[in-house]
């Protein structure tokens, strides 16, 4: 038997929902009485939608705003009366390790790190909640005591963590997430060196909003790129979707891109195929056309092939440069000497100059989620699914490379999760100092998958 409703319908919200279907841009979020979030109409915007001329309204300016933004800034700047407590009995080589694992709220941890690590971190990588409606975000309300908070939120766990599911039914679905990220990124920027970089993994749900707040915090001029990473190796076939999800995004920002570039831009490992079919003493090589592309300019002259054919065109270099390369055995003619000339470039030269990363990272070179799961399963002695969608260490290893991390540099991950950043630093780099922050999560040791893994040392 269904429980009868004891209240009348919420007609205002129903009407707003109907208008939202017609005019999505006219519905926004605001805080009502007692700080309760509501969906409301932007009447100025609605009037403009229904008008054939410009309607007078608030002064327009380009910016990102949401309910709670000023509070998020206040939260980032508010001092805390806390300290980091060492746990020697739970640590490995406590007195000699250069690495630091902090268990606790990452907002608190970022504040506590300001004094010791201000301006000292070379690279930050984070994989925060994607705000899909199922993941958790952090509550940042220091004004109420624990009892009041638990009463208000109607939830708690054995560790007393302040967590809430950011369900899409919540009127502040995006605002809560933005406030959570804004305060933490403000603090994170302070920790970066002048030549430091931050990389942030994110999904489609919030990538646009994240770019906006990063533009505000780090400066749009310091945007280095948006990497599209193919997160799965197989092809999805979901009958409920028009476009299957195979990629995620990684936003890259510099603290100061001009300082970063002056200290040396990192490179990824070489791709492409090299061989040495003519036994050149300089080793393996590949080649590229000497003729310029259709949208490029070059030098015009005639080249004679070894078989006597005359080829006219625009070439990559002038005729004197061509003759020098030909004498140095750096020009080849395919098709038994009748093809268009190509310039040889040697593998050792490419290794010296390095290969610039692109904004498309395929799973063959940069790993995928299945690989991340396999690596973690092996570390957990065959126990599967101990963590949802862990990043493959190979992915983060390449981020360390393009950040140009060197021995002694500090790397920070304050959404540590499965600790892929630690793994990548140990496997793909040398002598880095890694700081990781993860909110405490209680384990149910009656469940096989929740039993703590044995400690490891570097």
């Amino acid at each position: 038997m269904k429980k009868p409703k004891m209240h009348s319908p919420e007609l205002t919200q129903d009407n707003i929902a109907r208008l939202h279907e017609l005019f999505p841009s006219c519905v926004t979020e605001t805080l009502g009485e007692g700080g309760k979030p509501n969906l409301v109409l932007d009447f100025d915007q609605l009037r403009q939608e229904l008008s054939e001329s410009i309607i007078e309204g608030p002064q327009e300016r380009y910016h990102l705003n949401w309910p709670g933004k000023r509070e998020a800034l206040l939260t980032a700047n508010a001092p805390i009366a806390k300290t980091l407590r060492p746990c020697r009995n739970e640590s490995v080589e406590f007195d000699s390790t250069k690495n630091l694992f902090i268990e606790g709220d990452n907002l608190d941890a970022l504040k506590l790190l300001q004094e010791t690590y201000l301006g000292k971190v070379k690279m930050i990588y984070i994989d925060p909640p994607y705000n899909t409606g199922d993941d958790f975000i952090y509550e940042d309300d220091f004004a109420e005591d624990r009892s009041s908070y638990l009463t208000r939120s109607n939830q708690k766990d054995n560790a007393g963590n302040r967590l809430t599911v950011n369900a899409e039914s919540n009127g502040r679905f995006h605002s809560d997430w933005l406030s959570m990220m804004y305060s933490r990124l403000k603090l994170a920027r302070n920790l970066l060196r002048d030549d430091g970089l931050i990389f942030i993994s994110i999904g489609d749900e919030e990538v646009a909003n994240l770019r906006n707040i990063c533009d505000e915090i780090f400066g749009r001029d310091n945007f280095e790129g948006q990497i599209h990473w193919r997160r799965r190796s197989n092809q999805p076939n979901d009958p409920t979707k028009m476009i299957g999800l195979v990629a995620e995004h990684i936003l890259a920002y510099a603290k100061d891109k001009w300082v970063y570039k002056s200290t040396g831009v990192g490179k990824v490992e070489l791709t492409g195929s090299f061989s040495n079919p003519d036994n050149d003493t300089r080793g393996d090589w590949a080649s590229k056309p000497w003729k310029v592309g259709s949208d490029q300019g070059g030098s015009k002259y005639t080249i004679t092939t070894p078989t006597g054919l005359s080829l006219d065109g625009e070439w990559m270099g002038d005729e004197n440069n061509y003759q020098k390369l030909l004498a140095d055995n750096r020009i080849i003619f395919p098709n038994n000497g009748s093809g268009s000339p190509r310039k040889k470039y040697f593998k050792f030269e490419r290794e010296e100059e390095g290969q610039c990363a692109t904004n498309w990272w395929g799973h063959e070179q940069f790993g995928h989620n299945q690989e991340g799961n396999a690596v973690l399963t092996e570390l957990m002695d065959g126990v599967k699914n101990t963590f949802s969608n862990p990043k493959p260490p190979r992915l983060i290893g390449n981020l360390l490379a393009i950040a140009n991390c060197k021995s002694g540099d500090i790397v920070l991950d304050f959404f540590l999760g499965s600790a892929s950043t630690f793994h990548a630093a140990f496997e793909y780099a040398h002598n880095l100092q890694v700081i990781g922050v993860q909110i405490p999560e209680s384990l149910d040791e009656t469940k096989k998958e929740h039993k703590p893994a044995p400690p490891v040392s570097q």
Side-chain angles (χ1 to χ4, degrees), residues 355-370:
Q355 178 169 307
C356 179
T358 69
N359 64 349
W360 170 248
W361 288 22
H363 59 83
E364 298 90 350
Q365 184 179 3
F366 300 98
H368 45 73
N369 274 353
Q370 296 96 317

Side-chain angles (χ1 to χ4, degrees), residues 315-369:
W315 311 103
M316 295 295 293
D318 61 32
E319 190 168 8
N320 287 334
N321 189 26
Y322 165 76
Q323 292 295 338
K324 291 179 181 178
L325 293 171
L326 184 65
D328 194 31
N329 190 27
R330 285 179 178 260
I331 298 293
I332 63 168
F333 294 86
N335 301 327
N336 297 318
S338 297
S340 183
R342 300 178 64 88
K343 178 186 175 183
K344 293 165 67 172
Y345 58 93
F346 293 92
K347 186 176 182 180
F348 79 90
E349 294 173 327
R350 291 299 306 274
E351 288 174 337
E352 289 176 358
E353 69 183 18
Q355 178 169 307
C356 179
T358 69
N359 64 349
W360 170 248
W361 288 22
H363 59 83
E364 298 90 350
Q365 184 179 3
F366 300 98
H368 45 73
N369 274 353

Side-chain angles (χ1 to χ4, degrees), residues 164-313:
T164 182
V165 176
N166 204 29
E168 290 193 59
S169 59
N170 176 10
R172 297 182 65 188
F173 178 64
H174 294 289
S175 298
D176 282 343
W177 187 88
L178 284 166
S179 292
M180 184 271 291
M181 291 298 298
Y182 190 78
S183 56
R184 285 158 176 80
L185 290 175
K186 288 283 288 184
L187 292 166
R189 182 183 182 277
N190 297 338
L191 298 175
L192 284 175
R193 288 175 8 189
D194 288 342
D195 65 341
L197 296 114
I198 184 169
F199 299 94
I200 310 171
S201 284
I202 195 65
D204 289 345
E205 296 80 7
E206 296 289 358
V207 63
N209 283 331
L210 182 60
R211 277 197 63 170
N212 281 328
I213 60 175
C214 285
D215 282 349
E216 182 173 320
I217 292 171
F218 296 96
R220 188 178 303 176
D221 289 344
N222 289 317
F223 174 65
E224 288 286 353
Q226 179 173 331
I227 298 168
H228 307 278
W229 167 57
R230 176 151 185 152
R231 66 191 289 268
R232 58 187 297 174
S233 59
N234 57 339
Q235 182 66 32
N237 187 23
D238 188 339
T240 67
K241 293 183 178 180
M242 181 180 74
I243 300 175
L245 177 65
V246 298
E248 292 180 4
H249 315 276
I250 304 175
L251 299 186
Y253 280 82
K255 175 76 170 289
D256 185 323
K257 73 185 311 178
W258 306 116
V259 175
Y260 159 64
K261 290 180 178 179
S262 70
T263 59
V265 177
K267 305 292 183 180
V268 297
E269 291 186 2
L270 295 184
T271 57
S273 178
F274 293 83
S275 61
N276 192 5
D278 61 350
N279 295 318
D280 195 304
T281 58
R282 291 164 290 192
D284 290 352
W285 52 270
S287 66
K288 58 184 178 182
W290 184 243
K291 191 173 185 178
V292 300
S294 58
D295 59 343
Q296 297 174 307
S299 300
K300 294 182 179 181
Y301 49 92
T302 300
I303 288 180
T304 303
T305 71
T307 58
L309 295 177
S310 296
L311 304 176
D312 293 318

Side-chain angles (χ1 to χ4, degrees), residues 137-153:
I137 68 167
Y138 294 72
E139 280 284 349
D140 295 331
D141 190 343
F142 299 101
E144 58 186 345
D145 59 29
R146 183 174 299 277
S147 176
S148 299
Y149 168 76
L150 293 176
T151 300
R152 175 175 65 81
S153 64

Side-chain angles (χ1 to χ4, degrees), residues 10-54:
E10 178 56 72
L11 297 179
T12 300
Q13 290 297 307
D14 288 346
N15 290 334
I16 290 175
R18 292 190 183 97
L19 285 169
H20 185 260
E21 293 178 2
L22 294 173
F23 306 107
S25 65
C26 297
V27 177
T28 186
E29 300 173 353
T30 189
L31 297 181
E33 295 182 3
K36 182 180 179 181
N38 290 317
L39 293 177
V40 298
L41 279 176
D42 183 336
F43 287 100
D44 290 319
Q45 184 71 16
L46 181 59
R47 288 172 62 207
Q48 188 62 69
E49 289 277 7
L50 301 175
S51 175
E52 295 180 353
S53 60
I54 296 176

